Amino acid sequence: MGQFLFSLQKQMSIDTCQDQVEMADYVVVFVLDKITNLLAEEAILLQGVKHDIQYIKDELERMIAFLGVADAFEDGDAEVKVWVRQVRDVAHDIEDVLDESIVLSYDHHFHGSCCFIAKLVFSIRNIKSRHKLVFETQSIRSRVCNIAEGHQRYRYKFYVPEQGSSNNHACDTANDRRGDALLLEEAELVGIENPRQQLIGWLMEDDPRLKVVSVVGMGGSGKTTLVKKVYEDAAVKKNFNSLAWITVSQSFKVEEVLKDMIQQLYDEVKQPAPEGLSTMNSNRLKAIAKVFLQSRMYLLVFDDIWTIQAWDAIRYALPDVNNGSRVILTTRLFNVASFSSIETNGYVYELKALSAEESWILFCQKAFHGNSCPSNLENISRNILKKCGGLPLAIVAVGGVLATKNRTNIREWGMLNHSLGPELDSNDKFDSMRIILLLSFNDLPYYLKPCFLYLSIYPEDHLIERNTLIYRWITEGFVKRKEGRTVEDVAESYLNELINRSLMHPVEYNDDGSLKLGRIHDLYRELILSKSRDDNFTTTTDEQNILWPEKTRRLSIHGTLGNLQVKRWTRLTEDPLKYLQDLPNLVHLEFLVGYTGEELYFEQGKFQRLKLLNLDKLEGLRRVTIGEGAIPHLEKLVIQRCALLESVPTGIKCLLNLTVLEFFDMPDEFIMTLHPDKLGADSWKVSHIPEVYYTYWRDGCWMVHSLKEKCNSQISGHYGAVTRTYGRRNSL
């Protein structure tokens, strides 16, 4: 097994793995990080398990390199998709076994000071658990071995060089498909005239300096289509004596880009390209390009730039001789657009979504061949169009599908309206659009993928609160601490990176310029809902979707649970938790909004793997009851904005692994029942919990108070030590 995939060093660290293969699967990276930390604390691992876990860690490190290549192939190859899913599943199971070993070790330490009889009872009760743990670990080791051997069956699909490097064949394949989809020329273009004239004006203004004009927008917004119309304009062509269009894309190789540009430039003047062009290195190619362009007034288009480094590698081949030359580049990333244009005193054009009127015109052109929409289909058509969010590529794709459907059968149209996500996965006519959306997801570094997938818990059109989102990322463990920075600062940098990549759209800002509210495009939400289910990452349940996979690990329930009960359960009086508590892999349960009942009851001995429970905005909730032996692994409990809750959950004193209890924006009267200084009636119930916080929004910032620390002064009307804030903001 030592030569499983690459000749990697046996003691490769997890950080090295992450640096070398940034695109590696986020689930496996997360588990590897956890294993590494656990192996550093040998005392917490049970005897007989450590050796197997070390073996599993070594194999997962080798798999990570292969996953970095397989990641981009997964959506287009069923065999590879199954293999990747097997690796993810086993990673999840490893995480569960590790958590169980921690609990057993903790219990052993906890009972170490108990009396002899208590120790004896504890030992008898747990001997089966210990044997089960050893058996499960050995079983996982066997599965890891089989999965490792499985790579041999798929390796022929890729060119994987020996020392851990990988090529970009997968990206090239995706970009071949992308080219057809980005050009929406088969449809009449809508809303393009004003931006076209703006760009032409910038290109032809009377300024001799070399200027870069950047066009930025999310995938499918029509950047390439717009620039193509500008590039082909007769007045533009007449103004410049050398023109070239170069597609860059994710699989950037500076030599290939420069060769393409040079070949086009020489073809235009009907001269042969320099001899030996195909074997030249980047420095020689830059020199040739620079000499050729030195005496030319040129217009170059670099389509689809993904990184500042890619632009840096190109720009030194472009001379500035004060003759009015221009460069246009398209990108999905705001930092790339800003960097490339600012340094040349150029311009940035952000391509916005189509207006409602423009979207309707384009939709009717595609769905009804330019005719008006039949009255019986107008309401449902507008609902479908709303999901496209003004994205031209989506409007053209959805309109093209609907054009083939029977206009008298409203049910057919309704099925697309209610199941656009599954249609994206299964309908071949949506392949090109799906690929374009996936390019942005696949380009995310491993640490951002779980953060972005986590956004699938929010309902459609939900305004996402910046502060709440950052807190949830931190609670989930997605945010890694960095030296010299708070974890909140790191989380905010993650959020800013998603905004930079056009994956999160700001809706409202605070006075200090920070994000207050944002949202994601409906189509990206459909995409990450699908990927979250496929990856067994997060499952969302609402009135329209009331099913969940058996191996669900994170379950987010939103919408009105009373309505859910009508659809899934026969009696309104039944507790909805009854049908969730036997999910064997559930580690995170979240009630996001809308609970019509007064009580949540966690039945005795159930929810054996649940580690995080979040109750948010359950306006009708009055009581939470935890039965004996229920949710034994619970580590974090968050209760926020449950205004009618009468007391802390009954049975919370038995949750020995609960390390964090947080209350957000709960009534003052509720908090006072927990405060020991005020002789709170319930303070003893939470005395065993290491960290108990209550948080309010006061005077423009989060005020986080600790019940464990006494403070003589009164802060904003509440006693307790202020332990941290989440930065100054106007409001939530």
Side-chain angles (χ1 to χ4, degrees):
M1 297 299 295
Q3 297 298 321
F4 152 70
L5 184 57
F6 305 117
S7 299
L8 299 176
Q9 294 181 356
K10 185 176 181 181
Q11 299 301 322
M12 180 191 298
S13 69
I14 184 64
D15 289 333
T16 303
C17 260
Q18 291 173 349
D19 291 339
Q20 287 186 345
V21 194
E22 197 169 72
M23 288 292 291
D25 189 88
Y26 52 89
V27 174
V28 185
V29 170
F30 181 80
V31 173
L32 263 179
D33 200 14
K34 193 167 189 174
I35 293 175
T36 300
N37 292 334
L38 290 176
L39 288 175
E41 303 176 29
E42 298 183 13
I44 68 171
L45 293 175
L46 297 177
Q47 192 173 23
V49 174
K50 181 188 171 186
H51 178 74
D52 289 325
I53 290 179
Q54 179 67 57
Y55 171 86
I56 292 168
K57 172 182 178 287
D58 292 343
E59 288 304 318
L60 286 183
E61 283 180 345
R62 297 184 180 100
M63 287 182 192
I64 260 194
F66 184 64
L67 282 166
V69 182
D71 184 63
F73 275 90
E74 181 188 349
D75 287 280
D77 192 298
E79 287 182 325
V80 175
K81 190 170 186 175
V82 169
W83 188 88
V84 172
R85 185 176 296 172
Q86 288 175 344
V87 177
R88 287 178 184 142
D89 285 346
V90 80
H92 284 312
D93 290 344
I94 293 165
E95 185 182 3
D96 292 338
V97 166
L98 292 175
D99 289 336
E100 191 168 343
S101 71
I102 294 171
V103 171
L104 286 176
S105 297
Y106 171 80
D107 286 344
H108 177 72
H109 173 76
F110 179 79
H111 288 272
S113 58
C114 295
C115 67
F116 171 76
I117 295 178
K119 288 182 180 179
L120 181 61
V121 171
F122 171 77
S123 298
I124 294 173
R125 188 179 66 186
N126 281 276
I127 190 167
K128 288 185 178 180
S129 297
R130 291 170 179 269
H131 281 305
K132 178 173 176 286
L133 177 63
V134 172
F135 175 79
E136 287 179 346
T137 305
Q138 292 173 346
S139 175
I140 288 175
R141 171 174 176 151
S142 176
R143 286 170 58 196
V144 168
C145 181
N146 291 334
I147 293 171
E149 291 172 354
H151 90 280
Q152 296 291 352
R153 294 192 291 272
Y154 311 126
R155 189 175 178 181
Y156 72 91
K157 295 175 182 287
F158 318 101
Y159 167 65
V160 185
E162 277 306 312
Q163 296 301 322
S165 62
S166 66
N167 70 356
N168 292 298
H169 174 66
C171 292
D172 291 336
T173 302
N175 285 311
D176 288 343
R177 303 284 300 276
R178 164 193 164 279
D180 295 333
L182 278 173
L183 299 177
L184 307 176
E185 294 178 322
E186 81 270 11
E188 285 295 323
L189 298 173
V190 176
I192 201 172
E193 188 56 30
N194 288 338
R196 188 177 76 89
Q197 290 298 332
Q198 177 71 78
L199 294 181
I200 290 175
W202 286 341
L203 294 181
M204 302 183 65
E205 68 179 4
D206 189 19
D207 188 335
R209 294 175 297 177
L210 174 67
K211 287 183 178 290
V212 175
V213 177
S214 298
V215 180
V216 62
M218 68 179 289
S221 59
K223 300 183 296 295
T224 301
T225 303
L226 168 62
V227 173
K228 195 77 169 177
K229 290 299 177 185
V230 171
Y231 180 77
E232 294 176 345
D233 183 84
V236 170
K237 284 185 174 293
K238 185 177 180 180
N239 189 62
F240 298 94
N241 51 32
S242 277
L243 299 93
W245 180 289
I246 305 98
T247 298
V248 181
S249 77
Q250 284 174 303
S251 55
F252 172 75
K253 295 185 180 68
V254 64
E255 292 84 2
E256 297 304 318
V257 169
L258 293 174
K259 289 173 190 175
D260 184 14
M261 180 179 73
I262 292 169
Q263 188 66 58
Q264 289 188 49
L265 292 172
Y266 274 87
D267 286 346
E268 188 182 37
V269 296
K270 296 181 171 52
Q271 292 182 14
E275 189 174 347
L277 184 70
S278 61
T279 59
M280 291 181 185
N281 62 29
S282 61
N283 290 333
R284 179 63 180 144
L285 291 168
K286 289 176 185 178
I288 289 175
K290 201 162 189 175
V291 169
F292 182 95
L293 295 172
Q294 198 80 30
S295 59
R296 317 286 293 183
M297 183 178 176
Y298 58 86
L299 171 63
L300 304 177
V301 175
F302 295 97
D303 185 31
D304 203 21
I305 300 253
W306 282 84
T307 65
I308 290 175
Q309 290 75 17
W311 168 245
D312 261 342
I314 296 169
R315 68 189 179 105
Y316 293 111
L318 312 178
D320 182 4
V321 291
N322 287 315
N323 64 355
S325 292
R326 299 287 184 263
V327 173
I328 305 178
L329 63 84
T330 69
T331 182
R332 303 186 188 194
L333 288 86
F334 283 92
N335 66 334
V336 172
S338 177
F339 175 84
S340 58
S341 297
I342 287 177
E343 68 171 0
T344 63
N345 297 304
Y347 303 97
V348 175
Y349 189 90
E350 181 183 354
L351 194 55
K352 301 286 189 180
L354 297 180
S355 68
E357 181 181 356
E358 291 167 339
S359 297
W360 183 248
I361 292 171
L362 181 57
F363 177 80
C364 290
Q365 286 175 352
K366 289 301 295 178
F368 308 113
H369 306 293
N371 299 317
S372 60
C373 174
S375 58
N376 65 315
L377 293 175
E378 182 164 351
N379 286 339
I380 196 167
S381 292
R382 290 192 181 275
N383 285 336
I384 294 172
L385 183 60
K386 183 174 172 290
K387 295 178 183 293
C388 296
L391 196 66
L393 177 66
I395 297 170
V396 169
V398 171
V401 170
L402 291 174
T404 66
K405 295 188 179 295
N406 188 338
R407 298 183 190 178
T408 62
N409 189 343
I410 299 180
R411 184 173 177 274
E412 276 192 52
W413 292 59
M415 288 175 63
L416 182 63
N417 183 36
H418 293 301
S419 60
L420 184 57
E423 284 286 324
L424 288 176
D425 285 336
S426 59
N427 193 324
D428 292 342
K429 295 180 180 179
F430 288 131
D431 275 357
S432 294
M433 181 174 70
R434 177 177 168 79
I435 285 170
I436 285 182
L437 297 177
L438 274 174
L439 283 175
S440 288
F441 177 81
N442 289 336
D443 187 61
L444 289 173
Y446 74 91
Y447 58 85
L448 275 184
K449 284 187 175 180
C451 294
F452 187 50
L453 285 179
Y454 187 77
L455 299 183
S456 64
I457 72 167
Y458 291 103
E460 186 175 340
D461 295 327
H462 187 81
L463 290 178
I464 301 170
E465 300 165 335
R466 171 258 180 208
N467 292 328
T468 304
L469 177 62
I470 282 178
Y471 166 77
R472 285 178 173 159
W473 282 348
I474 294 170
T475 300
E476 285 282 355
F478 299 153
V479 183
K480 305 199 74 171
R481 293 186 179 275
K482 293 185 179 180
E483 188 174 352
R485 302 177 66 186
T486 67
V487 68
E488 289 85 5
D489 288 339
V490 176
E492 184 159 15
S493 72
Y494 288 4
L495 180 59
N496 289 335
E497 193 165 351
L498 291 180
I499 294 172
N500 174 57
R501 292 169 175 269
S502 304
L503 295 176
M504 169 79 84
H505 300 289
V507 174
E508 187 175 344
Y509 288 96
N510 294 303
D511 290 343
D512 63 359
S514 62
L515 180 72
K516 179 180 179 182
L517 298 170
R519 64 157 46 105
I520 60 172
H521 195 283
D522 283 349
L523 288 178
Y524 270 118
R525 180 178 178 272
E526 296 290 350
L527 177 75
I528 61 177
L529 274 172
S530 173
K531 286 198 70 66
S532 290
R533 281 178 172 267
D534 284 350
D535 297 355
N536 201 17
F537 181 78
T538 295
T539 301
T540 301
T541 297
D542 55 25
E543 289 94 333
Q544 280 74 46
N545 173 28
I546 55 175
L547 300 175
W548 45 77
E550 182 183 355
K551 289 189 174 183
T552 295
R553 296 186 68 79
R554 290 180 181 85
L555 181 62
S556 177
I557 300 178
H558 46 70
T560 303
L561 282 180
N563 293 342
L564 289 178
Q565 287 173 283
V566 170
K567 292 187 176 185
R568 186 174 178 93
W569 299 294
T570 57
R571 292 185 297 159
L572 288 175
T573 56
E574 287 185 316
D575 187 341
L577 290 180
K578 179 179 179 181
Y579 296 89
L580 304 174
Q581 57 198 6
D582 289 323
L583 289 174
N585 301 96
L586 190 64
V587 296
H588 175 182
L589 178 61
E590 178 165 35
F591 289 87
L592 189 59
V593 289
Y595 181 66
T596 59
E598 294 187 355
E599 181 176 13
L600 286 175
Y601 176 60
F602 293 84
E603 192 175 327
Q604 180 176 351
K606 301 298 183 179
F607 291 100
Q608 289 295 299
R609 293 200 184 277
L610 195 65
K611 293 189 290 186
L612 191 151
L613 176 62
N614 190 354
L615 308 179
D616 188 359
K617 296 181 183 177
L618 306 188
E619 297 175 355
L621 185 65
R622 292 182 178 273
R623 294 176 300 278
V624 177
T625 303
I626 301 172
E628 183 181 353
I631 46 178
H633 290 184
L634 193 67
E635 298 172 0
K636 297 179 182 178
L637 173 59
V638 181
I639 299 175
Q640 46 191 330
R641 302 165 189 165
C642 299
L644 298 181
L645 191 65
E646 296 169 353
S647 65
V648 294
T650 302
I652 195 172
K653 60 184 180 296
C654 297
L655 300 180
L656 301 181
N657 292 298
L658 188 62
T659 57
V660 177
L661 173 62
E662 292 210 35
F663 299 98
F664 277 74
D665 284 338
M666 293 292 287
D668 296 352
E669 297 79 7
F670 178 92
I671 297 299
M672 288 305 172
T673 66
L674 303 174
H675 208 293
D677 287 354
K678 292 295 181 179
L679 301 178
D682 288 337
S683 63
W684 66 277
K685 296 180 181 178
V686 299
S687 60
H688 68 291
I689 304 172
E691 298 179 62
V692 182
Y693 301 106
Y694 61 99
T695 303
Y696 293 93
W697 188 258
R698 293 287 187 270
D699 300 324
C701 63
W702 284 113
M703 305 297 292
V704 185
H705 305 263
S706 171
L707 286 175
K708 295 294 183 179
E709 300 178 26
K710 295 183 179 181
C711 182
N712 294 325
S713 62
Q714 191 172 9
I715 302 174
S716 300
H718 301 283
Y719 288 99
V722 179
T723 57
R724 53 199 166 105
T725 65
Y726 281 173
R728 297 193 64 81
R729 299 289 180 263
N730 276 355
S731 65
L732 194 80

